[in-house]
Amino acid sequence: MIHLTQPVHDANANAKGKDLGNLPDWDLSDLYTAPDAPELSRDMDWLEAECAAFAADYEGKLDTLDADGLLKCIHRDEAISNIAGRIMSYAGLRYHQLTTDPARTKFLSDAQEKITTFTTPLVFFTLELNKLDEDHLAGLLAQNADLARYKPVLDRIRAMKPYQLSDEMEKFLHDMGVVGDAWERLFDETIAGLTFHVDGEELGIEGTLNLLTEQDRAKREAASRELARVFGENIRTFSRVHNTSAKEKEVIDRWRGMPSAQAGRHLANDVEPEVVEALRDAVVAAYPKLSHRYYELKRKWLGLERMQVWDRNAPLPMEETKVVGWDDARETVMNAYTAFDPRMGDLAQPFFDKGWIDAGVKKGKAPGAFAHPTVTNVHPYVMLNYLGKPRDVMTLAHELGHGVHQVLAAGQGELLSSTPLTLAETASVFGEMLTFRRMLDGAKSDAERKVMLAGKVEDMINTVVRQIAFYDFECKLHEARRGGELTPDDINALWMSVQGESLGPAFDFMDGYETFWAYIPHFVHSPFYVYAYAFGDGLVNALYAVYEENPEGFQDKYFEMLEAGGSKHHSELLKPFGLDASDPKFWDKGLDMISGMIDELEAMED
């Protein structure tokens, strides 16, 4: 498709006088040109007809298909996934650009309901696949190499076999999915609609959270207290969303006979529960040598008797308040990617040139950052809320890593390209590490090196320690919800039970901090997702150690791992690097890298 000059968004109105340069907006026309585009109507009509035809052709007949027939059936299912994914990607991305627009909300909701209705007749497909005799399926796979490619997908589907309900119940649950989605949208719209007043200025959630990294301590405190005030005013809504989501999950898990609230996520991630528990236990055991030790150092640097929660992400006193313009951020990340391997730079370039990034902070835009893969015959889109902080450069490096991974994995096709969450954070965290190492190598003084090292340690603590504390909070929340409705105070108490343990003895906690669970979207959108960040960070630290020890041929192996998408188990993907995530010592390797950086920071004090 020919791209016209891409729209750019002048977000400097939201940057409080900082000139960030021209920040790009998305061009969604690679998906559809407009909500009323004839191509979109055509695809919706095709989807309705093809879903009905698929059910008519195959329901009750999967066990009669030969190898070629089953392959054709899977290809048709893949085509359905592609068109449904294309429509939902367009509807979802438009919504994220302006979540407060009722027309966009309606368009997303209507698309979701239609596609759910169209695809309900397809529920039989996975149910019947799971009823196929093991030897019969193995025989079909042995006859056709193209069919055998899909074995990882079939294995993941069949892993759900013990938890499968009757055909009627599965169809009912499929239809009811849109109700759970409505609670997610309530959460999103509530968050996006919150307004905060700090020092006479009206801000949204992103702008207010951003103040927690300001040099001015009074400003950080004011922002923290205002966050607590607004969360407190809305806590009943957030409590209702969490209670309902957790109850819905408990009911479905109970009917399915899931052994734990986390089991479904582990199955979806294609990771063994003991591997996750080994990660969790290793991180919790390392709290004293990681977060507790680092924050004690930071307390001294800040010259404080006690740390307050608004000091957690404070810049260091010797750190210059630095605004990084968009062009500089782009150059920093692109140089780091290209220095690792020119192919990586080539893959990242179109994101900047073709409207694949939406960078500016805008009223009503969803908070946070993400990379959405859309479908394998289009391309990913990256969303940022760029405010020119050095951390925002790392966020760009992170999300661009996801984007590169998604482009590389697209060759696997719709069913095999999607990487399990445990490995989905690999390329993003690796992209951050490349960018950080390049910036560190360019440090002009010990003071600058110290600031950069401390920043990286903080990011790693936020990725590893904070996310495992989040995971523990979720485990406690879902467990407690099984005993009945939770009041806001109940949830607050669960939150505080993990915060002190993870952050350590240097901290005091202000009144109101107990509500800060309320704004974390992963708890609502993707229960137990958060351990994937810690998994990814530990994995990348181990990978990077391999790269430093033996760089010869590393890039080719790395690209092969990303290209594999979801076609291989984590044990297979890590084998070429001599790594094994099921070995408890594996996690110590990654945690030791963080600890080593804190050692270096402590040595600078002498």
Side-chain angles (χ1 to χ4, degrees), residues 165 168-178 252 256:
L165 301 174
E168 284 301 305
M169 276 298 296
E170 291 291 352
K171 286 180 181 176
F172 171 75
L173 287 175
H174 180 83
D175 267 358
M176 283 295 288
V178 293
I252 293 170
R256 291 197 182 284

Side-chain angles (χ1 to χ4, degrees), residues 348-395:
Q349 191 68 48
F351 283 85
F352 295 98
D353 296 343
K354 296 187 173 181
W356 299 2
I357 299 177
D358 194 303
V361 175
K362 295 165 250 182
K363 196 171 175 63
K365 179 179 170 181
F370 62 75
H372 178 57
T374 72
V375 286
T376 53
N377 55 348
V378 185
H379 55 75
Y381 283 91
V382 163
M383 192 188 85
L384 306 170
N385 277 276
Y386 189 83
L387 285 161
K389 297 261 178 162
R391 272 198 175 92
D392 293 341
V393 181
M394 286 299 164
T395 303

Side-chain angles (χ1 to χ4, degrees), residues 263-283:
R265 175 62 66 202
H266 300 336
L267 281 166
N269 283 351
D270 197 17
V271 66
E272 301 73 19
E274 52 273 18
V275 171
V276 178
E277 285 313 300
L279 161 66
R280 182 259 169 208
D281 292 347
V283 173

Side-chain angles (χ1 to χ4, degrees), residues 333-346 349 438:
V333 176
M334 283 298 293
N335 285 347
Y337 275 33
T338 304
F340 172 69
D341 192 298
R343 289 173 290 178
M344 198 139 143
D346 291 344
Q349 191 68 48
R438 186 168 181 86

